[in-house]
Amino acid sequence: SASLKTFYRLQDYTGGENSAGVKMETTMPILTWNNLENLEMGDSCQKRYATCVILPEMHQGTPPAPPNNGVYVFNSRGPNVYVMPFGGYATDDKIEQLARKFRSLLDAEGVPYKTEKFKLVVYNGPQNMDRYNEMWFVKPQDDTDEVTFSVDTSTYKQDAITPAPSIFERKCKSPECPTCPECPAFQVIRSFNNFDERRTPSGTWVDKKFLGCSTKQGPPEMLPLFRYMTRTNSRAVSMQKTAPMMTVLWQKDNQKFSCDKDFHMAFWVPAKHDQGDPPYPMEKDVTLYKSQGYTAYVRSFRGPRPTDADLVKMTGAFMGALDEAGIRYKPDWIKFLEYDGPDVAPHKRHNEIWMVKKE
């Protein structure tokens, strides 16, 4: 296919056919831009594609020039995107079918997107049978894309607050939502104007550590966690879905452009299976983390998963406000929590940034 031909040209470039004559390490994912008009062209050979890969960190500052064969270097501003995950091999028919479906879902929700192109994002090589892919539609750039993540620490309620605020009643299992997933029983200690001080309960998280380029590489790494929850554990038991999903990022990795950033992703183990001896994982790099509970400062917001750049900006604003208020926290890592899956419209998803309190 045309996308394969362009990929081979990229392989030549990263394999040494560049102005510096250097060979570069393979990076993931591989992105292919597809013109939306391709969906209406049937089996035509006039369809238009562009394929790209991210350059390794050591070549980000001064990338070698490519030969004059249709390969070029460009700087991405890191757009906001709507994401549909899917598995299996990304054949042309499958791509076009899913693109039509995704476009219809966005239209039904009234969500704006760029109508010129969509992106196919592939995270695995052809030898991998357990494949994870994504389809991206790009959000138009406007003023709402600017991060205005204000935090007001001026006042808070002194009285005790119920441990089940309305967000948990809507997103977590409760009398108001008996079909919602189980969540940890967080306790709100203090509620500031637009963030909380919250105590987490003791309990167990199932955790997967991985090295990656960004948090958007998380989904393929989540598969062992899903398998743990669905019988790939020492007792071969299937567990009900829980929320939230936690991603832990180290602050020291924020300025890296490489694919060796250190991430953790984790699910809460349901109380039914965490009675002091939860089933242990069967796959490499999947571990159980038994937390004794801790206190964190929590800022909630709605919307799709932010880009890494936006997440860093939002966390920086949160940390700055905490610093000004003289509130002590551990600055070494960011905890990002997502309560909703891809089945929930992006603008309805509930997310949180946690900064752990320094006791």
Side-chain angles (χ1 to χ4, degrees):
S1 67
S3 57
L4 273 179
K5 292 179 182 177
T6 57
F7 177 63
Y8 291 147
R9 290 180 184 174
L10 290 174
Q11 279 194 319
D12 291 339
Y13 169 76
T14 58
E17 293 186 15
N18 52 65
S19 60
V22 295
K23 293 184 178 181
M24 306 180 198
E25 292 183 357
T26 301
T27 61
M28 285 291 179
I30 298 167
L31 288 80
T32 300
W33 298 352
N34 292 257
N35 281 27
L36 269 171
E37 63 185 27
N38 291 353
L39 302 181
E40 317 303 329
M41 297 177 67
D43 294 329
S44 170
C45 294
Q46 302 302 311
K47 296 180 181 179
R48 300 177 65 186
Y49 305 90
T51 300
C52 64
V53 295
I54 187 170
L55 294 182
E57 181 182 17
M58 66 182 298
H59 301 293
Q60 286 284 331
T62 54
N68 186 20
N69 64 347
V71 176
Y72 59 94
V73 175
F74 77 99
N75 293 317
S76 171
R77 67 172 181 83
N80 291 330
V81 296
Y82 305 108
V83 180
M84 173 182 279
F86 65 97
Y89 283 92
T91 62
D92 290 346
D93 289 345
K94 187 173 187 177
I95 293 167
E96 293 183 7
Q97 180 183 4
L98 289 173
R100 292 189 182 94
K101 178 181 178 181
F102 197 8
R103 181 174 62 179
S104 297
L105 290 172
L106 294 175
D107 289 340
E109 289 288 339
V111 175
Y113 58 90
K114 289 190 175 181
T115 57
E116 298 86 6
K117 296 179 175 68
F118 65 92
K119 295 183 181 181
L120 170 68
V121 186
V122 176
Y123 288 86
N124 307 107
Q127 74 283 357
N128 194 321
M129 302 298 291
D130 191 8
R131 303 178 66 77
Y132 176 87
N133 317 289
E134 292 175 344
M135 186 165 292
W136 293 0
F137 275 68
V138 179
K139 178 183 175 183
Q141 174 76 9
D142 56 35
D143 292 341
T144 63
D145 290 335
E146 298 299 322
V147 178
T148 56
F149 197 68
S150 62
V151 179
D152 186 352
T153 61
S154 58
T155 62
Y156 62 87
K157 300 175 183 177
Q158 295 281 6
D159 298 333
I161 299 172
T162 173
S166 59
I167 182 61
F168 301 121
E169 294 172 355
R170 295 195 304 270
K171 297 291 184 180
C172 302
K173 184 173 287 187
S174 66
E176 289 74 16
C177 187
T179 60
C180 287
E182 178 186 329
C183 301
F186 301 128
Q187 179 186 8
V188 177
I189 300 171
R190 297 189 295 177
S191 184
F192 293 79
N193 278 347
N194 57 7
F195 75 99
D196 294 330
E197 182 180 346
R198 193 182 300 172
R199 182 69 186 174
T200 69
S202 60
T204 303
W205 295 81
V206 58
D207 176 277
K208 175 71 166 69
K209 177 182 178 180
F210 67 99
L211 298 177
C213 305
S214 75
T215 57
K216 289 188 178 295
Q217 278 193 269
E221 301 294 341
M222 288 166 52
L223 295 177
L225 296 177
F226 284 120
R227 289 194 288 265
Y228 170 82
M229 302 289 279
T230 54
R231 301 181 69 86
T232 307
N233 54 65
S234 60
R235 297 200 189 107
V237 294
S238 185
M239 307 179 199
Q240 290 187 336
K241 177 184 176 183
T242 62
M245 181 186 76
M246 179 186 293
T247 303
V248 181
L249 306 84
W250 289 91
Q251 292 274 27
K252 62 181 175 60
D253 287 341
N254 284 341
Q255 302 305 316
K256 286 184 177 180
F257 291 96
S258 63
C259 291
D260 63 347
K261 297 181 182 181
D262 188 0
F263 298 103
H264 286 258
M265 304 193 80
F267 291 157
W268 180 253
V269 176
K272 177 181 177 181
H273 301 284
D274 186 18
Q275 303 298 322
D277 184 27
Y280 57 81
M282 307 292 288
E283 296 191 56
K284 182 182 178 182
D285 294 331
V286 180
T287 59
L288 295 178
Y289 169 66
K290 295 188 178 183
S291 172
Q292 299 304 311
Y294 53 87
T295 302
Y297 299 106
V298 181
R299 180 65 165 92
S300 303
F301 63 98
R302 285 180 176 270
R305 172 189 279 257
T307 65
D308 287 2
D310 279 354
L311 186 58
V312 169
K313 291 179 184 178
M314 295 162 83
T315 305
F318 193 11
M319 293 168 63
L322 296 175
D323 289 339
E324 288 181 12
I327 295 176
R328 290 163 56 84
Y329 59 91
K330 296 181 179 180
D332 296 332
W333 60 82
I334 305 166
K335 294 191 175 187
F336 174 56
L337 281 77
E338 299 169 273
Y339 285 78
D340 301 292
D343 55 320
V344 176
H347 66 282
K348 295 181 180 179
R349 297 175 190 171
H350 179 81
N351 314 292
E352 295 173 346
I353 293 174
W354 288 15
M355 302 303 300
V356 176
K357 182 177 181 178
K358 194 170 186 178
E359 303 288 356

